[in-house]
Structures are given as C-alpha cells and as structure tokens.
Amino acid sequence: MSDFPAFPPDFVFGAATAAFQIEGATREDGRGSSIWDTFARRPGAVAGGDTGDTACDHYRRYPEDIALLKRLGVRSYRFSVSWPRVQPAGSGPANAAGLAFYDRLVDALLDAGVEPAVTLYHWDLPQELEDRGGWRDRDTAHRFADYARLVADALADRVPRWITLNEPWCSAFLGYANGVHAPGVRAGTPALAAAHHLLLAHGLAVPVLRGAGARETGIALNLDRVLPATDDPRDVAAALRAETQRNLIWTEPLLGGRYPRSEDDTWEELVRRQTFRRDGDLDVISAPLDFLGINYYTPSVVRDAPYRDADPRTRTADDNRFEGAGMPEARHTAMGWPVAPDTLRDLLVELRERYGDALPPVHITENGSAEEDVPDAGGTVHDADRISYLDGHLRAVAAARAEGVDVRGYYVWSLLDNFEWSYGYGKRFGLVHVDYATQRRVPKDSYHWYRAVIAAQA
Ligand code: IFM
C-alpha cells in the first residue's frame, strides 16, 4: 500500500447495493409489486429465469450484512429504498411495515458506526404506476415527490446523504427504448418523455428532501466517457450524438438549466416534435445539487453508422447513428466491458472543464467489476482482477482530485454478489461472495484489500 495515493481524512469510502438486487422478501409485510417483479416473470427477459424473490435475503439477514460493512471499515453505505415496500401502489399513505424495515436498517447502521446514504429510486417502480403509463406519464414525477416526502419524513433525521434517482439513463433508455430492462418497452419517443419525467421527478424531490432535513442531496448518473474511434469528423460527430444520449441529456438540464444543443442532430424529429416539456420545467430540474453522484464502469469507443431502423416511425430513441467500435487492446470484465481506469480521470476532468463552478462536489457512487469468480474449497474467491480494477479506478479518482476535481467519496459496487438485472445471478460484482443455495457470505480477497486500503488511509 506504500505507493497508494493519500486521500483526505474526510474522504468517504463506501460500498453500495440496491433494494431489488439484494432484499428478496418481495411479498413480505405488505410490499406491492414492482415492474421488475413483473418483468422477471416474462419468459426470456432475465437469464435463467431468475427473479428477485429471494435474492440475498438481505431483508432478514441485514444484521449480518451490516457486520460485514463494519468489519470492512467503510464510512458510508449506500442502499436504496424499495418504493413498492413503502407505497405498495405508488401513491397514498405509507405502508408502516415497509418503512419500519428501513428504520431498523438505518438504526443498525448507525449503531455500527456506518453512515447511511439513501437512494430513493433504483429502478423498482410500483407496477400500478407503470400500468398508468410509468415514466412516460408526467404524473409519475409528482408521485415520486410524494414518495420522497414519506421516506424523508421517516429517515432524514438520521440519514445525511440522499440520492434521488440511480442511473436515469437505464430507466429511460433500457426501459423504454431498447427494452432489456423493465418495463421492457421497445418504442420510439417514450424514452425521451421518460428521461424528461425522471429529471422532473428529481427536481421536484430535491426541495422535499431539503425541507425534511436532508443535509446533502444529489443524483447518481451513469456518465460515459465517449471516445470517437478515429478523428474522422463523422466519427467525432457520432461521438457527440452518443454523448448527448448518455451524458448531456442529464448534465445539461441539471447543471446548465438548458437542453443539449446537440439534441437536434441526435434525435431529429423525435425531439423536435416532443410535447412533454413545459415552461418552468428546467427551473425545477436545475435546482442546485449538493453533490453529483457518478457511477462509472467503462468507456465507449464509437463510430459513425447508419440508423439501425430506417423507418422514423418505428425507430427507438437509442438509435442515434453511432455504433460501438470496442477496445480490443483492453482487458474485459465478465460483463464484456473494457477496463480503462484513466478514462474515469478524463471524464471527471472534462466535466470540471465543461461546467466549472456549476459542477458540485462529486461522489463516485458506484464503481466495480464482475469477474469470473471461482471460490476455493473454503469458499474464498481470489479475485486479483477485481482488485486490480478497483485499484486502478481509485488511483484515477486521486489523479482527478490532483487536477482540481472536488471528488469527496467513492463507493464500491457492490458489497455483495447480487441480482444483476437481465443477467440474473450469473454476474458477480460483490466484495463478498454469496452462495445463493445457502446464503453463506464469504469475503473475497478484494474485500480484504479494500479493508486494508481504508485502514491504511486512517
Ligand atoms: O448492478 C448495477 C447497478 O444496479 C446499477 N449500476 C450498474 C451495476 C452493474 O451493472
């Protein structure tokens, strides 16, 4: 560890999870159904037909998981609240038994000396709201603000850090354009309407959270470092379209109070004929943030390409005349994602250059890798590749800090192996191995490595 960069004493080392991926207990204590409960039952939607019904059984085993966090030495634990556990149908009064779970969780974390950081929405929309249009419908943004109030009134006295939405790009584009995530819609404009309503939901929730006493409020975006495959102007223009879809659609309204200038070239008629934006929305959306959460895993190298669908009437909003060119020279994780830690530094420095003082302090709210973990006879995983991945990305954070980017925290994704959405339980991101047959948890080598990193900083 002697050559490991030093972080300031108040730098937040953390670990993250999300409700649907770990809790299980999907029918317990009055929890309603979510779009992921429905989607996982659609034949072929999730690898192996896996569901979230049991997951890591965290709903019952949370004391054991908190003990793992305590031993790890993290200052903060980022988890998400399940909307259908708190508001089974997505509106109306709180389900007291559902809220009580998070109350117990927060108290147990504080007793263990771990600060809770709450994400309000990590993709598990109550099914009843989807039946009324889901994120295509503006009203869902208002329902979200009501839900935020219920959770914040119950927990903001003890939870300092709040994240409204996790990776709204996935909710909008994987959910309503490409259809590989719940609710599995594959159609044209809805993804753009969904993106706008997600931003609005965030903006409406920010003052609600502050009013309830939240000390720090932000959003977690999965921003991409997009690189053109060549310096041919057509590839450079394609990279800007990719960046518009992945990054600028979020950062421009949130940090700049404007829609991206490049949106016309990216979406053409889809955005020119939109009807979902209203006067005043940008003011709501651009409410100042206390921090920007960035989830980062891998860069994208793209080149110019024709539309995948030549017919504008059926074309989806993720069809923006670019295609992935890959990074054959890089190592790839078990997700097939190229590993290029320096691109995290570049992304952070570029954000700082683009937004200047409008860029709030940053927390890396997720970073981690799925690897082909093979437990030894004792159940331990010797995951040198994951250690190297985390080491590289933490060094990239230190490098960005050295260049003046105010990064204040870093959360490993994830504490536990868990339900990796449409990949089911086949992909493992955890610092802790979970044997799904027995629910036995065994810390991997990466857990011990991260523990040593944190201890050495102290
Ligand atoms: O597991 C997901 C998480 O839910 C959101 N960010 C990316 C992770 C890895 O794919």
mmCIF file of all heavy atoms in Angstrom, residues 17-18 21 78 122-123 166-167 170 222 295 297 335 337 366 368 413-414 418-421 423 429, ligand 1:
data_model
loop_
_atom_site.group_PDB
_atom_site.id
_atom_site.type_symbol
_atom_site.label_atom_id
_atom_site.label_comp_id
_atom_site.label_asym_id
_atom_site.label_seq_id
_atom_site.Cartn_x
_atom_site.Cartn_y
_atom_site.Cartn_z
ATOM 1 N N THR A 17 -25.329 -0.945 -2.605
ATOM 2 C CA THR A 17 -26.228 -2.019 -3.052
ATOM 3 C C THR A 17 -27.533 -1.354 -3.512
ATOM 4 O O THR A 17 -27.670 -0.140 -3.436
ATOM 5 C CB THR A 17 -26.602 -2.994 -1.911
ATOM 6 O OG1 THR A 17 -27.330 -2.265 -0.910
ATOM 7 C CG2 THR A 17 -25.397 -3.678 -1.306
ATOM 8 N N ALA A 18 -28.500 -2.180 -3.933
ATOM 9 C CA ALA A 18 -29.833 -1.649 -4.259
ATOM 10 C C ALA A 18 -30.883 -2.659 -3.824
ATOM 11 O O ALA A 18 -30.643 -3.872 -3.841
ATOM 12 C CB ALA A 18 -29.950 -1.397 -5.754
ATOM 13 N N GLN A 21 -31.990 -5.777 -5.837
ATOM 14 C CA GLN A 21 -30.890 -6.698 -6.123
ATOM 15 C C GLN A 21 -30.495 -7.568 -4.930
ATOM 16 O O GLN A 21 -29.839 -8.585 -5.113
ATOM 17 C CB GLN A 21 -29.675 -5.920 -6.634
ATOM 18 C CG GLN A 21 -29.963 -5.226 -7.970
ATOM 19 C CD GLN A 21 -28.787 -4.435 -8.489
ATOM 20 O OE1 GLN A 21 -28.664 -3.255 -8.189
ATOM 21 N NE2 GLN A 21 -27.923 -5.052 -9.270
ATOM 22 N N ARG A 78 -24.301 2.905 0.893
ATOM 23 C CA ARG A 78 -25.356 3.398 0.007
ATOM 24 C C ARG A 78 -26.317 2.243 -0.314
ATOM 25 O O ARG A 78 -25.892 1.224 -0.868
ATOM 26 C CB ARG A 78 -24.717 3.940 -1.286
ATOM 27 C CG ARG A 78 -25.733 4.320 -2.306
ATOM 28 C CD ARG A 78 -25.127 4.843 -3.611
ATOM 29 N NE ARG A 78 -26.233 5.010 -4.525
ATOM 30 C CZ ARG A 78 -26.252 4.590 -5.786
ATOM 31 N NH1 ARG A 78 -25.192 4.026 -6.328
ATOM 32 N NH2 ARG A 78 -27.321 4.748 -6.511
ATOM 33 N N HIS A 122 -34.069 3.083 -7.356
ATOM 34 C CA HIS A 122 -33.102 2.264 -8.102
ATOM 35 C C HIS A 122 -33.931 1.257 -8.899
ATOM 36 O O HIS A 122 -33.820 0.048 -8.719
ATOM 37 C CB HIS A 122 -32.119 1.603 -7.129
ATOM 38 C CG HIS A 122 -30.842 1.142 -7.750
ATOM 39 N ND1 HIS A 122 -29.594 1.551 -7.330
ATOM 40 C CD2 HIS A 122 -30.601 0.288 -8.770
ATOM 41 C CE1 HIS A 122 -28.654 0.963 -8.048
ATOM 42 N NE2 HIS A 122 -29.246 0.184 -8.945
ATOM 43 N N TRP A 123 -34.839 1.796 -9.725
ATOM 44 C CA TRP A 123 -35.487 1.072 -10.833
ATOM 45 C C TRP A 123 -36.727 0.252 -10.514
ATOM 46 O O TRP A 123 -37.325 -0.316 -11.416
ATOM 47 C CB TRP A 123 -34.484 0.166 -11.557
ATOM 48 C CG TRP A 123 -33.237 0.861 -11.989
ATOM 49 C CD1 TRP A 123 -32.961 2.207 -11.964
ATOM 50 C CD2 TRP A 123 -32.060 0.250 -12.532
ATOM 51 N NE1 TRP A 123 -31.707 2.460 -12.452
ATOM 52 C CE2 TRP A 123 -31.126 1.272 -12.801
ATOM 53 C CE3 TRP A 123 -31.716 -1.069 -12.815
ATOM 54 C CZ2 TRP A 123 -29.859 1.026 -13.345
ATOM 55 C CZ3 TRP A 123 -30.460 -1.319 -13.349
ATOM 56 C CH2 TRP A 123 -29.544 -0.279 -13.608
ATOM 57 N N ASN A 166 -31.193 6.647 -9.314
ATOM 58 C CA ASN A 166 -29.996 5.958 -9.766
ATOM 59 C C ASN A 166 -30.062 5.745 -11.273
ATOM 60 O O ASN A 166 -31.018 5.131 -11.782
ATOM 61 C CB ASN A 166 -29.872 4.584 -9.104
ATOM 62 C CG ASN A 166 -28.614 3.880 -9.580
ATOM 63 O OD1 ASN A 166 -27.506 4.287 -9.223
ATOM 64 N ND2 ASN A 166 -28.757 2.877 -10.428
ATOM 65 N N GLU A 167 -29.065 6.254 -11.993
ATOM 66 C CA GLU A 167 -28.894 5.967 -13.415
ATOM 67 C C GLU A 167 -30.190 6.115 -14.209
ATOM 68 O O GLU A 167 -30.696 5.125 -14.776
ATOM 69 C CB GLU A 167 -28.298 4.565 -13.595
ATOM 70 C CG GLU A 167 -26.957 4.399 -12.922
ATOM 71 C CD GLU A 167 -26.316 3.026 -13.177
ATOM 72 O OE1 GLU A 167 -26.907 2.220 -13.896
ATOM 73 O OE2 GLU A 167 -25.213 2.790 -12.657
ATOM 74 N N CYS A 170 -30.624 4.382 -17.605
ATOM 75 C CA CYS A 170 -31.089 2.983 -17.711
ATOM 76 C C CYS A 170 -32.607 2.935 -17.641
ATOM 77 O O CYS A 170 -33.245 2.217 -18.421
ATOM 78 C CB CYS A 170 -30.487 2.134 -16.591
ATOM 79 S SG CYS A 170 -28.698 1.994 -16.701
ATOM 80 N N ASN A 222 -25.058 7.504 -14.538
ATOM 81 C CA ASN A 222 -24.006 6.637 -15.095
ATOM 82 C C ASN A 222 -23.440 7.335 -16.322
ATOM 83 O O ASN A 222 -23.838 7.064 -17.446
ATOM 84 C CB ASN A 222 -24.508 5.227 -15.413
ATOM 85 C CG ASN A 222 -25.759 5.178 -16.259
ATOM 86 O OD1 ASN A 222 -26.639 6.026 -16.131
ATOM 87 N ND2 ASN A 222 -25.850 4.196 -17.134
ATOM 88 N N ASN A 295 -21.720 7.111 -11.407
ATOM 89 C CA ASN A 295 -21.464 5.672 -11.451
ATOM 90 C C ASN A 295 -20.619 5.426 -12.683
ATOM 91 O O ASN A 295 -21.028 5.770 -13.791
ATOM 92 C CB ASN A 295 -22.773 4.885 -11.575
ATOM 93 C CG ASN A 295 -23.688 5.071 -10.367
ATOM 94 O OD1 ASN A 295 -23.318 5.719 -9.389
ATOM 95 N ND2 ASN A 295 -24.872 4.505 -10.436
ATOM 96 N N TYR A 297 -18.030 2.679 -14.898
ATOM 97 C CA TYR A 297 -17.528 1.313 -15.083
ATOM 98 C C TYR A 297 -16.547 1.191 -16.240
ATOM 99 O O TYR A 297 -15.518 0.560 -16.120
ATOM 100 C CB TYR A 297 -18.707 0.347 -15.315
ATOM 101 C CG TYR A 297 -19.542 0.166 -14.066
ATOM 102 C CD1 TYR A 297 -20.617 1.018 -13.789
ATOM 103 C CD2 TYR A 297 -19.234 -0.819 -13.147
ATOM 104 C CE1 TYR A 297 -21.360 0.868 -12.624
ATOM 105 C CE2 TYR A 297 -19.969 -0.978 -11.976
ATOM 106 C CZ TYR A 297 -21.028 -0.122 -11.719
ATOM 107 O OH TYR A 297 -21.736 -0.262 -10.556
ATOM 108 N N MET A 335 -18.552 -8.871 -17.705
ATOM 109 C CA MET A 335 -19.668 -8.236 -18.423
ATOM 110 C C MET A 335 -19.282 -7.961 -19.876
ATOM 111 O O MET A 335 -20.098 -7.456 -20.648
ATOM 112 C CB MET A 335 -20.056 -6.894 -17.779
ATOM 113 C CG MET A 335 -20.537 -6.984 -16.351
ATOM 114 S SD MET A 335 -22.091 -7.876 -16.181
ATOM 115 C CE MET A 335 -23.280 -6.670 -16.727
ATOM 116 N N TRP A 337 -16.999 -5.707 -20.519
ATOM 117 C CA TRP A 337 -16.699 -4.272 -20.514
ATOM 118 C C TRP A 337 -15.190 -4.052 -20.478
ATOM 119 O O TRP A 337 -14.498 -4.603 -19.603
ATOM 120 C CB TRP A 337 -17.331 -3.600 -19.290
ATOM 121 C CG TRP A 337 -18.830 -3.663 -19.264
ATOM 122 C CD1 TRP A 337 -19.668 -3.981 -20.294
ATOM 123 C CD2 TRP A 337 -19.664 -3.410 -18.120
ATOM 124 N NE1 TRP A 337 -20.981 -3.925 -19.868
ATOM 125 C CE2 TRP A 337 -21.011 -3.581 -18.548
ATOM 126 C CE3 TRP A 337 -19.423 -3.053 -16.792
ATOM 127 C CZ2 TRP A 337 -22.099 -3.403 -17.693
ATOM 128 C CZ3 TRP A 337 -20.510 -2.876 -15.936
ATOM 129 C CH2 TRP A 337 -21.830 -3.045 -16.388
ATOM 130 N N GLU A 366 -20.817 4.592 -7.650
ATOM 131 C CA GLU A 366 -20.636 3.166 -7.973
ATOM 132 C C GLU A 366 -19.385 3.011 -8.822
ATOM 133 O O GLU A 366 -19.142 3.811 -9.733
ATOM 134 C CB GLU A 366 -21.781 2.593 -8.821
ATOM 135 C CG GLU A 366 -23.062 2.369 -8.094
ATOM 136 C CD GLU A 366 -24.140 1.752 -8.989
ATOM 137 O OE1 GLU A 366 -23.793 1.098 -9.999
ATOM 138 O OE2 GLU A 366 -25.311 1.954 -8.667
ATOM 139 N N GLY A 368 -17.039 -0.780 -9.916
ATOM 140 C CA GLY A 368 -16.704 -2.155 -9.551
ATOM 141 C C GLY A 368 -16.705 -3.037 -10.776
ATOM 142 O O GLY A 368 -16.970 -2.582 -11.882
ATOM 143 N N TRP A 413 -19.199 -0.791 -6.015
ATOM 144 C CA TRP A 413 -20.325 -1.636 -6.384
ATOM 145 C C TRP A 413 -19.776 -3.035 -6.539
ATOM 146 O O TRP A 413 -18.964 -3.244 -7.434
ATOM 147 C CB TRP A 413 -20.984 -1.183 -7.702
ATOM 148 C CG TRP A 413 -22.183 -2.056 -7.966
ATOM 149 C CD1 TRP A 413 -22.233 -3.203 -8.695
ATOM 150 C CD2 TRP A 413 -23.498 -1.859 -7.437
ATOM 151 N NE1 TRP A 413 -23.487 -3.739 -8.658
ATOM 152 C CE2 TRP A 413 -24.284 -2.938 -7.896
ATOM 153 C CE3 TRP A 413 -24.075 -0.879 -6.606
ATOM 154 C CZ2 TRP A 413 -25.636 -3.060 -7.555
ATOM 155 C CZ3 TRP A 413 -25.418 -1.004 -6.284
ATOM 156 C CH2 TRP A 413 -26.178 -2.086 -6.759
ATOM 157 N N SER A 414 -20.089 -3.949 -5.669
ATOM 158 C CA SER A 414 -21.134 -3.866 -4.691
ATOM 159 C C SER A 414 -20.658 -4.579 -3.429
ATOM 160 O O SER A 414 -19.683 -5.330 -3.474
ATOM 161 C CB SER A 414 -22.366 -4.556 -5.272
ATOM 162 O OG SER A 414 -23.411 -4.578 -4.339
ATOM 163 N N ASN A 418 -25.051 -10.097 -6.301
ATOM 164 C CA ASN A 418 -26.497 -9.889 -6.233
ATOM 165 C C ASN A 418 -27.162 -10.074 -7.589
ATOM 166 O O ASN A 418 -26.511 -10.490 -8.552
ATOM 167 C CB ASN A 418 -26.800 -8.506 -5.622
ATOM 168 C CG ASN A 418 -26.183 -7.366 -6.410
ATOM 169 O OD1 ASN A 418 -26.296 -7.327 -7.632
ATOM 170 N ND2 ASN A 418 -25.505 -6.447 -5.724
ATOM 171 N N PHE A 419 -28.427 -9.731 -7.655
ATOM 172 C CA PHE A 419 -29.241 -9.898 -8.870
ATOM 173 C C PHE A 419 -28.824 -8.840 -9.887
ATOM 174 O O PHE A 419 -29.117 -7.657 -9.704
ATOM 175 C CB PHE A 419 -30.718 -9.730 -8.492
ATOM 176 C CG PHE A 419 -31.675 -9.811 -9.647
ATOM 177 C CD1 PHE A 419 -32.078 -11.030 -10.164
ATOM 178 C CD2 PHE A 419 -32.196 -8.651 -10.223
ATOM 179 C CE1 PHE A 419 -32.977 -11.099 -11.233
ATOM 180 C CE2 PHE A 419 -33.092 -8.707 -11.287
ATOM 181 C CZ PHE A 419 -33.479 -9.939 -11.790
ATOM 182 N N GLU A 420 -28.126 -9.280 -10.933
ATOM 183 C CA GLU A 420 -27.616 -8.321 -11.914
ATOM 184 C C GLU A 420 -28.628 -8.171 -13.065
ATOM 185 O O GLU A 420 -28.364 -8.474 -14.214
ATOM 186 C CB GLU A 420 -26.221 -8.754 -12.392
ATOM 187 C CG GLU A 420 -25.555 -7.864 -13.430
ATOM 188 C CD GLU A 420 -25.463 -6.379 -13.088
ATOM 189 O OE1 GLU A 420 -25.481 -6.021 -11.896
ATOM 190 O OE2 GLU A 420 -25.397 -5.580 -14.035
ATOM 191 N N TRP A 421 -29.826 -7.744 -12.707
ATOM 192 C CA TRP A 421 -30.864 -7.370 -13.672
ATOM 193 C C TRP A 421 -31.072 -8.431 -14.747
ATOM 194 O O TRP A 421 -31.231 -9.590 -14.388
ATOM 195 C CB TRP A 421 -30.547 -5.961 -14.218
ATOM 196 C CG TRP A 421 -30.331 -4.982 -13.086
ATOM 197 C CD1 TRP A 421 -29.158 -4.389 -12.715
ATOM 198 C CD2 TRP A 421 -31.313 -4.547 -12.111
ATOM 199 N NE1 TRP A 421 -29.349 -3.598 -11.597
ATOM 200 C CE2 TRP A 421 -30.648 -3.667 -11.210
ATOM 201 C CE3 TRP A 421 -32.669 -4.772 -11.900
ATOM 202 C CZ2 TRP A 421 -31.310 -3.048 -10.137
ATOM 203 C CZ3 TRP A 421 -33.322 -4.158 -10.838
ATOM 204 C CH2 TRP A 421 -32.643 -3.310 -9.990
ATOM 205 N N TYR A 423 -29.162 -10.085 -16.417
ATOM 206 C CA TYR A 423 -28.189 -11.180 -16.358
ATOM 207 C C TYR A 423 -28.488 -12.137 -15.204
ATOM 208 O O TYR A 423 -27.774 -13.123 -15.022
ATOM 209 C CB TYR A 423 -26.760 -10.636 -16.192
ATOM 210 C CG TYR A 423 -26.277 -9.823 -17.368
ATOM 211 C CD1 TYR A 423 -26.478 -8.452 -17.428
ATOM 212 C CD2 TYR A 423 -25.625 -10.435 -18.434
ATOM 213 C CE1 TYR A 423 -26.051 -7.696 -18.508
ATOM 214 C CE2 TYR A 423 -25.188 -9.702 -19.523
ATOM 215 C CZ TYR A 423 -25.399 -8.332 -19.553
ATOM 216 O OH TYR A 423 -24.969 -7.595 -20.623
ATOM 217 N N PHE A 429 -20.602 -9.054 -8.826
ATOM 218 C CA PHE A 429 -19.880 -7.795 -8.604
ATOM 219 C C PHE A 429 -19.403 -7.646 -7.154
ATOM 220 O O PHE A 429 -18.808 -6.631 -6.810
ATOM 221 C CB PHE A 429 -20.791 -6.601 -8.902
ATOM 222 C CG PHE A 429 -20.889 -6.198 -10.357
ATOM 223 C CD1 PHE A 429 -21.826 -6.783 -11.199
ATOM 224 C CD2 PHE A 429 -20.063 -5.215 -10.882
ATOM 225 C CE1 PHE A 429 -21.937 -6.397 -12.528
ATOM 226 C CE2 PHE A 429 -20.163 -4.821 -12.210
ATOM 227 C CZ PHE A 429 -21.097 -5.411 -13.038
HETATM 228 O O1 IFM B 1 -25.826 -3.693 -10.835
HETATM 229 C C1 IFM B 1 -25.818 -2.462 -11.480
HETATM 230 C C2 IFM B 1 -26.455 -1.394 -10.620
HETATM 231 O O2 IFM B 1 -27.743 -1.732 -10.240
HETATM 232 C C3 IFM B 1 -26.519 -0.092 -11.360
HETATM 233 N N1 IFM B 1 -25.232 0.263 -11.895
HETATM 234 C C4 IFM B 1 -24.507 -0.733 -12.616
HETATM 235 C C5 IFM B 1 -24.417 -2.009 -11.824
HETATM 236 C C6 IFM B 1 -23.630 -3.070 -12.599
HETATM 237 O O3 IFM B 1 -24.233 -3.325 -13.815
#
